[in-house]
């Protein structure tokens, strides 16, 4: 997708849909866990920006 490096994301299923939970510990991160409903470049509520990989993609180093 381009954008910031991918973060480690754990896919979880809630109410029949897949969400992704990530630990916000990268540059500018707050250390909390954030949930997103889709992969891609996302901005957390704290303002940090990162890439959420799909559940079948390698998040990289």
């Amino acid at each position: 997708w381009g954008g910031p490096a991918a973060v480690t994301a754990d896919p979880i299923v809630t109410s029949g849909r897949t969400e992704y939970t990530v630990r916000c510990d990268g540059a500018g991160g707050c250390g909390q866990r954030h949930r997103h409903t889709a992969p891609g470049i996302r901005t957390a509520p704290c303002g940090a920006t990162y890439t959420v990989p799909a559940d079948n993609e390698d998040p990289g180093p």
Side-chain angles (χ1 to χ4, degrees):
W1 287 306
V7 294
T8 301
D10 298 316
I12 56 174
V13 177
T14 60
S15 302
R17 73 177 179 189
T18 300
E19 295 183 359
Y20 300 87
T21 180
V22 300
R23 182 157 178 89
C24 188
D25 57 4
C30 66
Q32 300 295 312
R33 290 197 175 269
H34 302 301
R35 287 169 45 176
H36 299 281
T37 58
I41 299 171
R42 299 287 173 241
T43 301
C46 66
T49 301
Y50 44 75
T51 299
V52 177
D55 60 352
N56 62 351
E57 293 181 10
D58 182 2

